[in-house]
mmCIF file of all heavy atoms in Angstrom:
data_model
loop_
_atom_site.group_PDB
_atom_site.id
_atom_site.type_symbol
_atom_site.label_atom_id
_atom_site.label_comp_id
_atom_site.label_asym_id
_atom_site.label_seq_id
_atom_site.Cartn_x
_atom_site.Cartn_y
_atom_site.Cartn_z
ATOM 1 N N GLN A 189 3.125 18.477 1.650
ATOM 2 C CA GLN A 189 4.256 18.466 2.654
ATOM 3 C C GLN A 189 5.379 17.674 2.016
ATOM 4 O O GLN A 189 6.518 18.133 2.210
ATOM 5 C CB GLN A 189 3.747 17.832 3.919
ATOM 6 C CG GLN A 189 2.806 18.691 4.719
ATOM 7 C CD GLN A 189 2.266 17.939 5.940
ATOM 8 O OE1 GLN A 189 2.783 16.868 6.310
ATOM 9 N NE2 GLN A 189 1.261 18.523 6.561
ATOM 10 N N LEU A 235 -3.016 0.482 10.425
ATOM 11 C CA LEU A 235 -1.917 -0.439 10.068
ATOM 12 C C LEU A 235 -1.030 0.364 9.169
ATOM 13 O O LEU A 235 -1.432 0.601 8.007
ATOM 14 C CB LEU A 235 -2.351 -1.782 9.507
ATOM 15 C CG LEU A 235 -1.260 -2.789 9.000
ATOM 16 C CD1 LEU A 235 -0.301 -3.153 10.167
ATOM 17 C CD2 LEU A 235 -1.847 -3.948 8.327
ATOM 18 N N SER A 245 -3.997 -8.275 14.344
ATOM 19 C CA SER A 245 -4.138 -9.669 13.924
ATOM 20 C C SER A 245 -5.454 -10.061 13.290
ATOM 21 O O SER A 245 -5.515 -11.127 12.799
ATOM 22 C CB SER A 245 -3.728 -10.635 15.115
ATOM 23 O OG SER A 245 -4.730 -10.440 16.137
ATOM 24 N N THR A 250 -13.122 -1.064 11.743
ATOM 25 C CA THR A 250 -12.604 -0.297 10.574
ATOM 26 C C THR A 250 -11.081 -0.087 10.695
ATOM 27 O O THR A 250 -10.598 0.390 11.691
ATOM 28 C CB THR A 250 -13.246 1.161 10.669
ATOM 29 O OG1 THR A 250 -14.654 1.007 10.488
ATOM 30 C CG2 THR A 250 -12.835 1.918 9.400
ATOM 31 N N VAL A 251 -10.433 -0.508 9.687
ATOM 32 C CA VAL A 251 -8.973 -0.482 9.728
ATOM 33 C C VAL A 251 -8.464 0.300 8.433
ATOM 34 O O VAL A 251 -8.864 0.005 7.360
ATOM 35 C CB VAL A 251 -8.374 -1.918 9.623
ATOM 36 C CG1 VAL A 251 -6.825 -1.872 9.731
ATOM 37 C CG2 VAL A 251 -8.896 -2.815 10.774
ATOM 38 N N HIS A 278 -13.571 -2.368 6.371
ATOM 39 C CA HIS A 278 -14.479 -2.509 7.507
ATOM 40 C C HIS A 278 -14.971 -4.031 7.530
ATOM 41 O O HIS A 278 -15.445 -4.582 6.593
ATOM 42 C CB HIS A 278 -15.738 -1.729 7.399
ATOM 43 C CG HIS A 278 -16.621 -1.790 8.561
ATOM 44 N ND1 HIS A 278 -16.351 -1.225 9.787
ATOM 45 C CD2 HIS A 278 -17.913 -2.342 8.741
ATOM 46 C CE1 HIS A 278 -17.328 -1.443 10.605
ATOM 47 N NE2 HIS A 278 -18.252 -2.132 9.978
ATOM 48 N N GLY A 280 -13.109 -6.465 7.335
ATOM 49 C CA GLY A 280 -12.240 -7.174 6.239
ATOM 50 C C GLY A 280 -12.663 -6.882 4.841
ATOM 51 O O GLY A 280 -12.122 -7.382 3.917
ATOM 52 N N GLY A 282 -13.031 -4.081 1.807
ATOM 53 C CA GLY A 282 -12.566 -2.881 1.329
ATOM 54 C C GLY A 282 -13.668 -1.865 1.008
ATOM 55 O O GLY A 282 -14.614 -2.136 0.255
ATOM 56 N N ILE A 287 -5.098 6.138 -3.907
ATOM 57 C CA ILE A 287 -3.689 6.146 -4.400
ATOM 58 C C ILE A 287 -3.323 7.412 -5.073
ATOM 59 O O ILE A 287 -3.930 7.794 -6.035
ATOM 60 C CB ILE A 287 -3.388 5.001 -5.301
ATOM 61 C CG1 ILE A 287 -3.717 3.584 -4.626
ATOM 62 C CG2 ILE A 287 -1.954 5.017 -5.788
ATOM 63 C CD1 ILE A 287 -3.544 2.415 -5.526
ATOM 64 N N ASN A 308 -11.456 13.579 -11.218
ATOM 65 C CA ASN A 308 -12.826 13.627 -11.469
ATOM 66 C C ASN A 308 -13.357 12.722 -12.651
ATOM 67 O O ASN A 308 -14.497 12.748 -12.974
ATOM 68 C CB ASN A 308 -13.290 14.988 -11.610
ATOM 69 C CG ASN A 308 -13.150 15.893 -10.423
ATOM 70 O OD1 ASN A 308 -13.372 15.419 -9.184
ATOM 71 N ND2 ASN A 308 -12.732 17.063 -10.590
ATOM 72 N N LEU A 319 -3.036 -11.608 -24.215
ATOM 73 C CA LEU A 319 -1.631 -11.517 -23.812
ATOM 74 C C LEU A 319 -0.788 -10.846 -24.782
ATOM 75 O O LEU A 319 0.156 -9.892 -24.429
ATOM 76 C CB LEU A 319 -0.996 -12.945 -23.473
ATOM 77 C CG LEU A 319 0.384 -13.000 -23.003
ATOM 78 C CD1 LEU A 319 0.652 -12.112 -21.836
ATOM 79 C CD2 LEU A 319 0.762 -14.491 -22.739
ATOM 80 N N ILE A 341 9.362 -19.685 -15.405
ATOM 81 C CA ILE A 341 7.905 -19.568 -15.374
ATOM 82 C C ILE A 341 7.463 -18.329 -16.111
ATOM 83 O O ILE A 341 6.422 -18.443 -16.908
ATOM 84 C CB ILE A 341 7.439 -19.565 -13.944
ATOM 85 C CG1 ILE A 341 7.740 -20.927 -13.306
ATOM 86 C CG2 ILE A 341 5.933 -19.323 -13.834
ATOM 87 C CD1 ILE A 341 7.419 -21.091 -11.871
ATOM 88 N N LYS A 348 5.807 -13.063 -24.853
ATOM 89 C CA LYS A 348 4.603 -13.015 -25.610
ATOM 90 C C LYS A 348 3.818 -11.757 -25.434
ATOM 91 O O LYS A 348 3.125 -11.318 -26.317
ATOM 92 C CB LYS A 348 3.688 -14.241 -25.252
ATOM 93 C CG LYS A 348 2.597 -14.504 -26.200
ATOM 94 C CD LYS A 348 2.023 -15.854 -26.041
ATOM 95 C CE LYS A 348 0.955 -16.187 -27.212
ATOM 96 N NZ LYS A 348 0.390 -17.520 -26.998
ATOM 97 N N ALA A 363 -2.923 1.017 -9.528
ATOM 98 C CA ALA A 363 -3.734 2.009 -9.952
ATOM 99 C C ALA A 363 -3.741 2.110 -11.484
ATOM 100 O O ALA A 363 -4.819 2.375 -12.016
ATOM 101 C CB ALA A 363 -3.229 3.406 -9.391
ATOM 102 N N ARG A 377 6.429 -10.624 -3.516
ATOM 103 C CA ARG A 377 6.300 -10.364 -2.075
ATOM 104 C C ARG A 377 5.880 -8.950 -1.880
ATOM 105 O O ARG A 377 6.661 -7.992 -2.092
ATOM 106 C CB ARG A 377 7.622 -10.665 -1.339
ATOM 107 C CG ARG A 377 7.401 -10.604 0.133
ATOM 108 C CD ARG A 377 8.833 -10.949 0.847
ATOM 109 N NE ARG A 377 8.532 -11.058 2.237
ATOM 110 C CZ ARG A 377 9.635 -11.179 3.178
ATOM 111 N NH1 ARG A 377 10.831 -11.253 2.590
ATOM 112 N NH2 ARG A 377 9.329 -11.273 4.443
ATOM 113 N N ALA A 384 -3.345 -2.872 -0.329
ATOM 114 C CA ALA A 384 -4.607 -2.693 0.206
ATOM 115 C C ALA A 384 -5.571 -1.766 -0.522
ATOM 116 O O ALA A 384 -6.729 -2.047 -0.926
ATOM 117 C CB ALA A 384 -4.571 -2.322 1.676
ATOM 118 N N LEU A 387 -6.364 -2.999 -4.170
ATOM 119 C CA LEU A 387 -7.309 -4.139 -4.194
ATOM 120 C C LEU A 387 -8.785 -3.530 -4.224
ATOM 121 O O LEU A 387 -9.630 -4.024 -5.031
ATOM 122 C CB LEU A 387 -7.291 -5.033 -2.923
ATOM 123 C CG LEU A 387 -8.312 -6.190 -2.879
ATOM 124 C CD1 LEU A 387 -8.339 -7.008 -4.063
ATOM 125 C CD2 LEU A 387 -8.008 -6.937 -1.497
ATOM 126 N N LEU A 390 -9.279 -2.004 -7.794
ATOM 127 C CA LEU A 390 -9.427 -3.085 -8.835
ATOM 128 C C LEU A 390 -10.787 -3.689 -8.816
ATOM 129 O O LEU A 390 -11.414 -4.041 -9.857
ATOM 130 C CB LEU A 390 -8.338 -4.121 -8.679
ATOM 131 C CG LEU A 390 -6.948 -3.738 -8.902
ATOM 132 C CD1 LEU A 390 -5.991 -4.915 -8.725
ATOM 133 C CD2 LEU A 390 -6.690 -3.216 -10.312
ATOM 134 N N VAL A 405 -5.823 -13.364 -1.409
ATOM 135 C CA VAL A 405 -4.734 -12.777 -0.650
ATOM 136 C C VAL A 405 -5.129 -12.612 0.728
ATOM 137 O O VAL A 405 -6.320 -12.596 1.040
ATOM 138 C CB VAL A 405 -4.469 -11.270 -1.282
ATOM 139 C CG1 VAL A 405 -3.918 -11.412 -2.626
ATOM 140 C CG2 VAL A 405 -5.757 -10.389 -1.223
ATOM 141 N N ALA A 415 -2.271 -9.434 -10.046
ATOM 142 C CA ALA A 415 -3.462 -8.651 -10.408
ATOM 143 C C ALA A 415 -3.603 -8.314 -11.851
ATOM 144 O O ALA A 415 -2.598 -8.244 -12.505
ATOM 145 C CB ALA A 415 -3.360 -7.297 -9.591
ATOM 146 N N LYS A 431 1.561 -24.407 -15.201
ATOM 147 C CA LYS A 431 2.398 -25.425 -15.883
ATOM 148 C C LYS A 431 3.786 -25.395 -15.348
ATOM 149 O O LYS A 431 4.487 -26.476 -15.132
ATOM 150 C CB LYS A 431 2.441 -25.023 -17.429
ATOM 151 C CG LYS A 431 1.137 -25.379 -18.141
ATOM 152 C CD LYS A 431 1.274 -25.155 -19.622
ATOM 153 C CE LYS A 431 -0.028 -25.550 -20.327
ATOM 154 N NZ LYS A 431 0.092 -25.309 -21.831
#
Side-chain angles (χ1 to χ4, degrees):
Q189 291 174 10
L235 174 58
S245 59
T250 301
V251 182
H278 185 70
I287 296 174
N308 295 318
L319 176 56
I341 293 179
K348 196 165 187 180
R377 190 180 186 185
L387 177 55
L390 293 179
V405 298
K431 286 184 177 180

